[in-house]
Amino acid sequence: MRKACLVLLFTVFIASAFLCSAQSNGVPAGILGRVLYLKNGTKTGTAFLIDYKGKEYLLTARHMIEGLTTDNAKLQVYRSADWREITADIILPENKNVDIAVLDIHHEASKGWSPDLSGESPTIGGQVYFIGYPDGLHSLYSNGEYLPLVKAGVLSGLDNADPDEVVYYIDGFNNPGFSGGPVVFLDNAKHEWHFFAVVIGYRTERIKTLVRGKEVDTALLANSGILLAYPIDFAKKAIDSKLAKHP
């Protein structure tokens, strides 16, 4: 019964959000409704729902599921003004440096609209948006549900020297809590929204201070304003690998 209730919570909220998406000039409500406030113990962050090969999965950052077993892991998502427990099997990319985790919540794919997962990315210099719950901040939807915050950025570049560990560099000030959230963009030519990456953190830089008029390096680290994200293809490959072993 509890699992059925959670399925209903996910499905009804996504459907109601999608009905309003056509009126939005920004990121569609149908995307915002897929982005969830996630908790593992005392750690909070972001996760988002994708539909892939007939099933629904939650994606988040690997560091968000530290300490959990890969089978029947217990986490919580915030729904209907309360934290609600979910049980998931965790699927991880083969490369342990890729900070992505897939949560198999054993749901069938939703029947409504879903953002494209083809793996396409915007051109360098293109507009992107990253979505999540920084420090738990949120908006309230008309039905009382939490909606995530949206921040805009620019795809500045990528490190693709190692094809097994490609990282996107995005000019956008990331805050703690965005980890695990989606990076999305609109393909204006096709009028399609894409999930293309997962937020995993930001580059740091050393803070300098003035001592008697001279710049001095300190041991303090600050947010450089460069957000780091891994391509969503790593999540798809992890799912494909799991399905190949356990159809």
Side-chain angles (χ1 to χ4, degrees):
M1 176 64 72
R2 185 171 183 84
K3 181 178 178 182
C5 290
L6 283 172
V7 172
L8 183 62
L9 279 169
F10 290 146
T11 304
V12 170
F13 185 49
I14 290 173
S16 62
F18 176 58
L19 290 176
C20 298
S21 66
Q23 300 175 356
S24 173
N25 293 322
V27 176
I31 287 180
L32 301 183
R34 289 178 170 271
V35 183
L36 308 180
Y37 191 20
L38 182 71
K39 183 163 73 170
N40 173 19
T42 60
K43 183 184 298 184
T44 58
T46 303
F48 62 103
L49 291 160
I50 65 166
D51 293 338
Y52 186 64
K53 293 191 173 179
K55 293 186 66 176
E56 193 170 55
Y57 299 90
L58 268 175
L59 267 57
T60 189
R62 185 191 289 249
H63 67 262
M64 276 301 304
I65 52 91
E66 288 178 350
L68 297 177
T69 59
T70 54
D71 296 327
N72 297 315
K74 307 292 185 184
L75 301 99
Q76 293 178 296
V77 294
Y78 199 83
R79 275 289 184 260
S80 300
D82 197 10
W83 287 105
R84 298 177 181 271
E85 185 177 274
I86 62 171
T87 300
D89 292 333
I90 299 173
I91 305 171
L92 299 171
E94 292 183 6
N95 187 337
K96 294 182 179 180
N97 293 326
V98 174
D99 194 357
I100 285 179
V102 179
L103 307 180
D104 185 351
I105 52 178
H106 305 289
H107 292 176
E108 292 183 0
S110 61
K111 295 181 180 179
W113 172 80
S114 177
D116 185 87
L117 294 175
S118 63
E120 293 183 27
S121 62
T123 57
I124 301 297
Q127 177 84 64
V128 301
Y129 302 90
F130 52 103
I131 308 169
Y133 293 89
D135 298 318
L137 294 175
H138 59 274
S139 301
L140 277 178
Y141 195 58
S142 58
N143 62 3
E145 291 286 359
Y146 277 12
L147 277 184
L149 267 60
V150 178
K151 297 187 76 172
V154 173
L155 180 59
S156 298
L158 71 162
D159 181 351
N160 57 354
D162 182 351
D164 293 324
E165 198 176 337
V166 176
V167 180
Y168 288 121
Y169 297 137
I170 295 169
D171 182 6
F173 201 91
N174 178 20
N175 309 90
F178 272 113
S179 287
V183 186
V184 305
F185 78 98
L186 173 63
D187 184 332
N188 287 298
K190 298 179 181 178
H191 304 288
E192 290 180 345
W193 283 91
H194 295 254
F195 280 146
F196 85 98
V198 181
V199 176
I200 56 96
Y202 53 82
R203 285 184 63 87
T204 58
E205 61 183 8
R206 287 190 178 277
I207 295 177
K208 293 186 177 183
T209 188
L210 287 176
V211 177
R212 297 177 182 176
K214 294 183 178 180
E215 282 193 349
V216 177
D217 286 328
T218 72
L220 300 175
L221 297 176
N223 189 332
S224 68
I226 300 297
L227 178 148
L228 304 176
Y230 278 112
I232 204 166
D233 278 354
F234 287 126
K236 291 161 55 182
K237 290 176 181 177
I239 296 172
D240 289 341
S241 178
K242 178 69 177 292
L243 291 177
K245 296 174 183 176
H246 305 283

Short mmCIF file of all heavy atoms in Angstrom, two decimals, residues 155-181:
data_model
loop_
_atom_site.label_atom_id
_atom_site.label_comp_id
_atom_site.label_asym_id
_atom_site.label_seq_id
_atom_site.Cartn_x
_atom_site.Cartn_y
_atom_site.Cartn_z
N LEU A 155 27.04 26.92 -20.67
CA LEU A 155 27.99 25.82 -20.85
C LEU A 155 29.31 26.41 -21.33
O LEU A 155 29.45 26.82 -22.47
CB LEU A 155 27.46 24.80 -21.86
CG LEU A 155 28.36 23.59 -22.12
CD1 LEU A 155 28.62 22.81 -20.84
CD2 LEU A 155 27.75 22.68 -23.19
N SER A 156 30.28 26.45 -20.43
CA SER A 156 31.56 27.09 -20.72
C SER A 156 32.52 26.17 -21.46
O SER A 156 33.34 26.63 -22.26
CB SER A 156 32.22 27.58 -19.43
OG SER A 156 31.41 28.54 -18.79
N GLY A 157 32.45 24.89 -21.17
CA GLY A 157 33.38 23.94 -21.80
C GLY A 157 33.22 22.57 -21.19
O GLY A 157 32.30 22.32 -20.41
N LEU A 158 34.13 21.68 -21.54
CA LEU A 158 34.09 20.33 -20.98
C LEU A 158 35.49 19.74 -20.99
O LEU A 158 36.34 20.12 -21.80
CB LEU A 158 33.14 19.44 -21.76
CG LEU A 158 33.52 18.98 -23.18
CD1 LEU A 158 32.68 17.78 -23.57
CD2 LEU A 158 33.33 20.10 -24.19
N ASP A 159 35.70 18.81 -20.07
CA ASP A 159 36.94 18.03 -20.03
C ASP A 159 36.61 16.65 -20.56
O ASP A 159 35.97 15.84 -19.88
CB ASP A 159 37.44 17.95 -18.58
CG ASP A 159 38.75 17.17 -18.46
OD1 ASP A 159 39.17 16.55 -19.46
OD2 ASP A 159 39.34 17.17 -17.37
N ASN A 160 37.00 16.40 -21.79
CA ASN A 160 36.71 15.10 -22.41
C ASN A 160 37.99 14.34 -22.76
O ASN A 160 38.00 13.52 -23.67
CB ASN A 160 35.85 15.28 -23.66
CG ASN A 160 36.48 16.20 -24.69
OD1 ASN A 160 37.52 16.80 -24.44
ND2 ASN A 160 35.85 16.33 -25.85
N ALA A 161 39.07 14.63 -22.02
CA ALA A 161 40.32 13.93 -22.25
C ALA A 161 40.17 12.43 -21.98
O ALA A 161 40.77 11.60 -22.66
CB ALA A 161 41.43 14.52 -21.37
N ASP A 162 39.35 12.09 -20.98
CA ASP A 162 39.05 10.69 -20.67
C ASP A 162 37.58 10.45 -20.99
O ASP A 162 36.70 10.96 -20.29
CB ASP A 162 39.33 10.41 -19.19
CG ASP A 162 39.09 8.96 -18.82
OD1 ASP A 162 38.56 8.20 -19.66
OD2 ASP A 162 39.42 8.58 -17.68
N PRO A 163 37.27 9.68 -22.02
CA PRO A 163 35.86 9.46 -22.40
C PRO A 163 35.06 8.75 -21.32
O PRO A 163 33.83 8.78 -21.35
CB PRO A 163 35.97 8.60 -23.66
CG PRO A 163 37.33 7.99 -23.62
CD PRO A 163 38.20 8.98 -22.93
N ASP A 164 35.74 8.12 -20.35
CA ASP A 164 35.04 7.45 -19.27
C ASP A 164 34.81 8.36 -18.06
O ASP A 164 34.30 7.92 -17.03
CB ASP A 164 35.82 6.21 -18.81
CG ASP A 164 35.86 5.13 -19.87
OD1 ASP A 164 34.85 4.97 -20.58
OD2 ASP A 164 36.90 4.47 -20.01
N GLU A 165 35.21 9.63 -18.21
CA GLU A 165 35.05 10.57 -17.10
C GLU A 165 34.89 12.01 -17.62
O GLU A 165 35.54 12.93 -17.15
CB GLU A 165 36.25 10.48 -16.15
CG GLU A 165 36.00 11.05 -14.78
CD GLU A 165 37.18 10.85 -13.84
OE1 GLU A 165 37.99 9.94 -14.07
OE2 GLU A 165 37.28 11.63 -12.86
N VAL A 166 33.99 12.18 -18.58
CA VAL A 166 33.74 13.50 -19.15
C VAL A 166 33.05 14.39 -18.11
O VAL A 166 32.13 13.94 -17.41
CB VAL A 166 32.86 13.40 -20.41
CG1 VAL A 166 32.52 14.78 -20.96
CG2 VAL A 166 33.56 12.55 -21.47
N VAL A 167 33.50 15.62 -18.00
CA VAL A 167 32.91 16.57 -17.05
C VAL A 167 32.56 17.85 -17.80
O VAL A 167 33.37 18.38 -18.57
CB VAL A 167 33.89 16.90 -15.90
CG1 VAL A 167 33.25 17.90 -14.93
CG2 VAL A 167 34.30 15.64 -15.15
N TYR A 168 31.35 18.37 -17.55
CA TYR A 168 30.96 19.65 -18.10
C TYR A 168 31.34 20.77 -17.13
O TYR A 168 31.19 20.63 -15.91
CB TYR A 168 29.44 19.71 -18.33
CG TYR A 168 28.94 18.86 -19.46
CD1 TYR A 168 28.01 17.85 -19.24
CD2 TYR A 168 29.36 19.10 -20.76
CE1 TYR A 168 27.53 17.09 -20.28
CE2 TYR A 168 28.89 18.33 -21.82
CZ TYR A 168 27.97 17.33 -21.57
OH TYR A 168 27.50 16.56 -22.61
N TYR A 169 31.81 21.90 -17.69
CA TYR A 169 32.07 23.10 -16.92
C TYR A 169 30.99 24.12 -17.26
O TYR A 169 30.82 24.50 -18.43
CB TYR A 169 33.44 23.69 -17.25
CG TYR A 169 34.60 22.78 -16.91
CD1 TYR A 169 35.67 22.63 -17.80
CD2 TYR A 169 34.64 22.08 -15.71
CE1 TYR A 169 36.75 21.81 -17.49
CE2 TYR A 169 35.71 21.25 -15.40
CZ TYR A 169 36.76 21.13 -16.29
OH TYR A 169 37.83 20.31 -15.99
N ILE A 170 30.27 24.56 -16.25
CA ILE A 170 29.16 25.49 -16.46
C ILE A 170 29.39 26.75 -15.64
O ILE A 170 29.69 26.68 -14.44
CB ILE A 170 27.82 24.82 -16.06
CG1 ILE A 170 27.54 23.64 -17.00
CG2 ILE A 170 26.67 25.82 -16.08
CD1 ILE A 170 26.41 22.75 -16.55
N ASP A 171 29.29 27.89 -16.30
CA ASP A 171 29.40 29.18 -15.62
C ASP A 171 28.10 29.44 -14.89
O ASP A 171 27.10 29.86 -15.47
CB ASP A 171 29.66 30.29 -16.65
CG ASP A 171 29.84 31.65 -15.99
OD1 ASP A 171 29.87 31.72 -14.74
OD2 ASP A 171 29.92 32.65 -16.72
N GLY A 172 28.09 29.11 -13.59
CA GLY A 172 26.90 29.27 -12.78
C GLY A 172 27.26 29.01 -11.33
O GLY A 172 27.96 28.06 -11.01
N PHE A 173 26.78 29.85 -10.42
CA PHE A 173 27.16 29.73 -9.01
C PHE A 173 26.29 28.67 -8.34
O PHE A 173 25.11 28.87 -8.10
CB PHE A 173 27.01 31.08 -8.30
CG PHE A 173 27.81 31.18 -7.04
CD1 PHE A 173 29.10 31.69 -7.07
CD2 PHE A 173 27.29 30.74 -5.84
CE1 PHE A 173 29.85 31.77 -5.89
CE2 PHE A 173 28.03 30.81 -4.67
CZ PHE A 173 29.32 31.33 -4.70
N ASN A 174 26.91 27.54 -8.07
CA ASN A 174 26.24 26.41 -7.45
C ASN A 174 26.29 26.54 -5.93
O ASN A 174 27.28 27.01 -5.38
CB ASN A 174 26.95 25.13 -7.90
CG ASN A 174 26.38 23.88 -7.27
OD1 ASN A 174 25.27 23.87 -6.80
ND2 ASN A 174 27.16 22.81 -7.28
N ASN A 175 25.23 26.13 -5.26
CA ASN A 175 25.17 26.15 -3.80
C ASN A 175 24.98 24.74 -3.27
O ASN A 175 24.39 23.89 -3.96
CB ASN A 175 24.00 27.03 -3.32
CG ASN A 175 23.98 28.39 -3.96
OD1 ASN A 175 23.37 28.58 -5.00
ND2 ASN A 175 24.65 29.35 -3.35
N PRO A 176 25.44 24.45 -2.05
CA PRO A 176 25.21 23.13 -1.47
C PRO A 176 23.71 22.79 -1.47
O PRO A 176 22.88 23.62 -1.10
CB PRO A 176 25.74 23.28 -0.04
CG PRO A 176 26.78 24.35 -0.14
CD PRO A 176 26.25 25.32 -1.16
N GLY A 177 23.39 21.59 -1.91
CA GLY A 177 21.99 21.18 -2.01
C GLY A 177 21.56 20.96 -3.45
O GLY A 177 20.59 20.24 -3.70
N PHE A 178 22.27 21.59 -4.39
CA PHE A 178 21.99 21.35 -5.81
C PHE A 178 22.53 19.99 -6.25
O PHE A 178 22.12 19.48 -7.31
CB PHE A 178 22.61 22.43 -6.70
CG PHE A 178 21.74 23.63 -6.92
CD1 PHE A 178 22.09 24.86 -6.40
CD2 PHE A 178 20.57 23.53 -7.65
CE1 PHE A 178 21.30 25.98 -6.60
CE2 PHE A 178 19.76 24.64 -7.87
CZ PHE A 178 20.12 25.88 -7.34
N SER A 179 23.44 19.40 -5.48
CA SER A 179 24.03 18.12 -5.87
C SER A 179 22.97 17.08 -6.18
O SER A 179 22.05 16.86 -5.38
CB SER A 179 24.94 17.60 -4.76
OG SER A 179 26.12 18.34 -4.68
N GLY A 180 23.11 16.43 -7.34
CA GLY A 180 22.16 15.42 -7.76
C GLY A 180 21.05 15.95 -8.63
O GLY A 180 20.26 15.18 -9.18
N GLY A 181 20.97 17.27 -8.77
CA GLY A 181 19.92 17.86 -9.59
C GLY A 181 20.25 17.82 -11.07
O GLY A 181 21.40 17.60 -11.47
#
